Each structure stands twice: as C-alpha cells, then as structure tokens.
Amino acid sequence: MTRTVPPGPPSGNPGPLGPSPSISGAQFLTGDGRVELLHGAYPAGSPFANEDLRPIPLAERHWGTYNFTALWIGMAHNIPSWTLASGLVTLGMDWKQAVLTIALANVIVLLPMLLTGHAGPKYGIPFPVLARASFGVRGANLPALVRAAVACGWFGIQTWIGGQGIYVLLGKAYGGAWAGAAEIGGYPWTLWLCFVVFWALQLAVILRGMETLRRFENWAGPFVLVGAVVLLVWMADKAGGFGPLLDAPSRLGWGARFWPVFFPALMGMIGFWSTLSLNIPDFTRFGRGQRAQVWGQTMGLPTTMTAFALLSVLVTSGTQAVYGEPIWEPVAVAGKADSVLGLLFALVTVLVATISTNLAANVVSPAYDLANLAPKLVDFRTGALITGVVGVLIFPWKLIETPEFYIYVWLGVVGGLLGTVAGILIADYWFVRRASLELVELYQRQGRYWYTGGWNWRAVLAFLVGGLLAVGGSHSAPGKGPFPADGLVPALEPLADYGWAVGLASAFVLYTALMWPAAVRERRGRALPGDLGGGGA
C-alpha cells in the first residue's frame, strides 16, 4: 500500500498538544482547536479504514499559507482557465463582462470552499470520511463516487488539452512530418502519442504521494505565473500595445439580453471549481491550522483566477493586433514563437501548468474516493490508476467540442450536482453538528454515523431532491447539446440557469429541516437510535 498518511504518533507520545488540551473519549482537542485520536484508538482493522483514510497526525499537519496559495496558483494557471474568458466572449460578452463574471464566480465558490475546508486542519480527514458524518459510513460512497466521476472527466479533459499542447509545439519544431502523420480515429497518431505520454507522466508523479505533490506545487505555481507574464510581455512588445479587442463593445449590452447569458455563465464558472468545494479537505487535512487554509485559499483562488482571465484577454487582444484575428488558445499563441528557446520554454510551461492542475484537482480526490469505496482492496495508488483509465474511457475530446456544451452542459450540470452535495456537507458540519465530530465512529459499523445499514436516508433524500431541482430543467438549444429545448423536466427549466445555487440552497434547507429535531434531542441527551446515528443493522 502506498503510504500517503503517516501511521500516527508512537505510544506514549500522542503528538503536540498545544496549550490547554482536553481529552474526550478516544480523541483530544488542542488549545488551537485541532483534534487527534489517542494512540491506539484508530480502528485499523475496520473494513472502513485504511492508512490512506486515517486522520493525519498533528505532527504531520504542516502545510502553511504559502503551500495553499501556491496550490491554487498552480491549479488555476492552466489552459482551460485561460480559455474561460474566450468562451464568455464567444457567447457575446465583452472582455470586462467576462472578467467580472469570472471574478464574481470565484469569490462565491470560495465561501463553501472555506466552510468545508475547515474540517481538514481540525480533524485531519479527507472528503469521503467527512461525508460519512452526513451520508453514513456506507452512504458516503454516493457523493464520493459522484465527485470521483467528475474528477475522472476533468482528468481526461486536462490530459487531452495538455497532450494537444505538446503536439502543437512539437509540430512547430519538427514541421509537416509530425503534424501530417497518418490519422487514427480522426486524429494524427502523433497526437495520440502525446496524449499517452502525458497521461503516463502525470501518473508517475502522483503515485509518489501527497508530499511529492506539495513540493511540486510549491515551485510549479510561481513558474507558470512567470510563464504567463513572459507571454504577455512578448505579445505586448510584438503588438506595440494592445489591439482593438479591448475596445470591442459587448454584443449583449448590460440590459435584457445580458442577464439571460450572465446567470447560466456565472453558474458555469462556479461549476469550474465546485469540485474542489467538496474535496478541499483532501488538502486542508495537511494544514497546520485554520489560518493557513483560510488565508492561503483566499489569496490563491479568486485573485489568481481573475488575474489569469485578465492576462488571457490582454494577450488575445495583442494577437488580434499582430495577426489580424484573436487567438485565445495559449498553446497556439506560444506556437508563434520563432525561436527554439521560446518553443522549449512554452512547452515546459504547458507541461508544468497542466500537470500541477490535473494532479491536485483531478487525481487526489478520486484516489481517496475510490479508496473509500473498498478500503481493504483499493489504496491511494490503485485509486489514482483507476482514475487515469476512466479519464481516457470517457472520451474527453467530445466534452469540449463547443463552448455551449462545455459551459452550459458539462460545467452547468456538474456544478448543480456538486452544489447539492456541498449544501448537505455544510448543513451537517456547521448547523447540525456545530463542527463537532467523533473521529473513531467515522470508521465503525456501530456508532452515530452508521444510521440505518450505514446510510442516512435524510441525506440521500436531500441529494435527490436538490439534484432534481438543480439539473432537472437542463436544456439545450437545438443542435447544441443533449437536452430537450424545453428541459428534461419542463416545469424546472427556469431553475436550470441557477443550478449550483439551487442545488446548494435546496439541499441545505431540506437536510437541515430533516436533521434538526434529532440534533436538538441529542444535545439534550435524549437522542434515539438512528437519529444522528447509532443503531441499525
């Protein structure tokens, strides 16, 4: 088994307690609000436990503010992030509207990110274990598999885009023989080769574990930022300024034509990082405290995404001035370099940018999620390998064929479903349990998180209702997507444009309403078996 989590403090040395620790049951609470299991308390023999899912010992929670900031810089600086603004401009926005939409979306999605991330530094547990508190020890596999499926899709998309980047830049270096190779499945075999090599390179990195990923992200984030700035300076120098794109008016204006595009686009932009709003505990569990994860994420996510969107607009405007047409793809822009050194720098930047995003955002989560499905059979390494295989089998090149499909269907539907799960997690952790968990019982068949047969029917019901309200009205323009023009459920069609917000709010309210009576009884010492857990076969 790949050791991604240390085995805990040795006997007689339970780790740094901090000021004024208190002991309750099998765990102790430090003076700074962090919790760790007492030595020997972790039920390693449980069928729901393995070394990758166990709480991180306090001594190993050492990620600081810089680590989280660098993590987000590394994840946000990628090719799909660069092209988000182009998708919005294609839909009719001007550059100011596009950047504003992206900035607002990332400020909004930061809030649930911080709320779910709180459990990481406090308890040292990953997302699927946190989900056991609300969905049940077995039921947590439902949100975990939803999150894993989305991550596998994103892994495939990012790997395909990264492989394309390598293919384009090598084609620039080697000429027609490379780009004009025989086709397989509609694409040159050289493109497939780049895809496979890039796929294998990423898995080789992540299989070395989370500490390797932390060290990689520490230098990858700043490196990619420098690469983007170099691209901007180079284009500004060639253009002698920035082109007419910055002066181009919005085709939508700010009136009645703007808002029907703005709100679904906003939900799509939120959906871009709604994945991490669920599994951010997979990273914050390594944090040395709440201050590190709060400040690190706040400085890393909304600022970086907004700055990157602005960079993409400025560079693209420069390409319009130099080449007579806007070039939104950063790889295509880099391919205009007329020196071997420039192409080499661009190739390394594309590789680092895509790997740093894909590993952190799209491999870590399903690796843990799949380990949660069968802890005694699947470890972190096996989960990562499964992710890599599934990421190819979903045909990622089909998911990003058009901006309508990419923003409205993929990002919109994904955002709606994941917003629903986020609503349940936040309601359970903050309002039902008031950020108080019993760690040992998250891994046991008997306990408050077992509910009935390992499932909490209230969470499942809230997920189904919230998911239906969020994505039931999904619709597509004729010929632009897989949904009927009037929505899957016509009565819900007006809600589809607000899918993430609808899913989060409805699931939050319903779950809280269903759980609140039992929560009140437990606080009064009169909890019944099966209320907030306990009982059940």
Side-chain angles (χ1 to χ4, degrees):
M1 176 179 292
T2 301
R3 180 63 58 84
T4 60
V5 178
S11 179
N13 180 21
L17 298 180
S20 304
S22 62
I23 297 177
S24 174
Q27 63 191 36
F28 61 82
L29 175 69
T30 69
D32 61 0
R34 295 180 296 162
V35 175
E36 183 172 35
L37 288 175
L38 296 175
H39 182 76
Y42 180 67
S46 167
F48 307 105
N50 68 22
E51 289 301 312
D52 298 315
L53 298 176
R54 71 177 298 152
I56 298 288
L58 286 176
E60 302 297 330
R61 300 179 203 173
H62 53 71
W63 288 29
T65 299
Y66 175 78
N67 297 126
F68 290 112
T69 301
L71 176 73
W72 272 114
I73 293 174
M75 288 196 295
H77 288 163
N78 59 79
I79 297 173
S81 292
W82 184 279
T83 57
L84 284 180
S86 68
L88 296 180
V89 171
T90 300
L91 296 174
M93 294 186 182
D94 64 16
W95 73 270
K96 295 184 292 295
Q97 291 170 331
V99 172
L100 173 64
T101 303
I102 293 169
L104 180 59
N106 283 280
V107 169
I108 292 172
V109 80
L110 175 66
L111 299 178
M113 202 91 64
L114 297 178
L115 291 174
T116 53
H118 184 277
K122 182 170 184 178
Y123 293 102
I125 53 176
F127 156 66
V129 175
L130 173 62
R132 293 176 181 181
S134 51
F135 282 84
V137 174
R138 284 178 172 161
N141 286 314
L142 173 61
L145 289 180
V146 170
R147 174 64 183 95
V150 172
C152 289
W154 269 120
F155 175 80
I157 289 174
Q158 291 274 12
T159 303
W160 177 253
I161 291 174
Q164 282 183 316
I166 299 171
Y167 167 77
V168 169
L169 295 174
L170 289 179
K172 176 75 174 180
Y174 291 103
W178 179 267
E183 292 190 354
I184 300 176
Y187 296 97
W189 69 264
T190 46
L191 174 55
W192 290 114
L193 176 63
C194 293
F195 176 64
V196 171
V197 170
F198 190 55
W199 176 88
L201 178 62
Q202 294 175 97
L203 291 183
V205 174
I206 194 63
L207 291 180
R208 297 180 63 86
M210 288 293 291
E211 196 58 24
T212 298
L213 177 63
R214 180 185 70 87
R215 291 193 295 266
F216 179 80
E217 295 290 347
N218 279 349
W219 67 264
F223 178 84
V224 176
L225 179 59
V226 169
V229 173
V230 168
L231 187 62
L232 174 65
V233 172
W234 173 65
M235 185 52 59
D237 179 66
K238 289 181 70 70
F242 295 104
L245 183 67
L246 297 182
D247 298 322
S250 168
R251 300 198 307 270
L252 304 173
W254 289 94
R257 297 179 60 201
F258 174 71
W259 302 110
V261 174
F262 170 75
F263 284 110
L266 180 68
M267 294 300 109
M269 297 303 103
I270 291 173
F272 191 81
W273 286 123
S274 63
T275 51
L276 268 293
S277 68
L278 297 188
N279 75 287
I280 195 64
D282 293 343
F283 302 95
T284 60
R285 68 194 294 229
F286 295 93
R288 65 169 60 107
Q290 298 300 336
R291 184 181 182 88
Q293 73 102 1
V294 169
W295 281 106
Q297 293 201 78
T298 301
M299 291 189 294
L301 173 58
T303 55
T304 300
M305 286 295 291
T306 303
F308 211 50
L310 184 58
L311 271 174
S312 73
V313 168
L314 292 175
V315 171
T316 303
S317 187
T319 64
Q320 184 169 353
V322 175
Y323 304 110
E325 61 178 354
I327 303 175
W328 285 98
E329 291 285 347
V331 173
V333 177
K336 298 290 184 179
D338 51 9
S339 71
V340 175
L341 183 60
L343 285 172
L344 179 61
F345 180 77
L347 178 61
V348 173
T349 301
V350 167
L351 283 171
V352 172
T354 309
I355 291 175
S356 65
T357 298
N358 222 11
L359 297 186
N362 304 317
V363 180
V364 171
S365 175
Y368 284 129
D369 296 337
L370 294 169
N372 188 72
L373 181 65
K376 297 305 181 186
L377 298 176
V378 180
D379 61 7
F380 185 87
R381 172 179 292 183
T382 306
L385 292 173
I386 294 172
T387 300
V389 173
V390 175
V392 174
L393 297 180
I394 52 90
F395 302 142
W397 45 92
K398 295 291 185 182
L399 293 178
I400 55 174
E401 283 186 328
T402 67
E404 290 86 0
F405 190 93
Y406 178 51
I407 292 177
Y408 291 155
V409 177
W410 174 247
L411 293 182
V413 171
V414 162
L417 291 177
L418 298 184
T420 300
V421 177
I424 295 170
L425 294 183
I426 293 170
D428 183 80
Y429 183 74
W430 287 103
F431 287 85
V432 174
R433 305 191 188 277
R434 299 183 181 180
S436 178
L437 300 175
E438 294 295 329
L439 284 177
V440 169
E441 296 185 35
L442 289 168
Y443 301 89
Q444 292 180 331
R445 186 181 296 271
Q446 289 80 27
R448 71 191 67 203
Y449 310 118
W450 186 248
Y451 298 100
T452 303
W455 289 78
N456 182 6
W457 66 265
R458 301 168 185 85
V460 175
L461 179 61
F463 174 76
L464 294 176
V465 172
L468 177 63
L469 293 175
V471 305
S474 297
H475 56 278
S476 304
K480 296 293 186 178
F483 302 123
D486 58 350
L488 291 171
V489 181
L492 299 178
E493 190 269 340
L495 299 180
D497 291 347
Y498 315 94
W500 180 83
V502 168
L504 188 147
S506 59
F508 179 96
V509 171
L510 180 56
Y511 181 83
T512 301
L514 292 173
M515 292 292 291
W516 196 254
V520 171
R521 286 197 296 271
E522 183 177 76
R523 292 191 188 103
R524 293 175 178 173
R526 295 188 289 110
L528 302 176
D531 277 353
L532 284 181

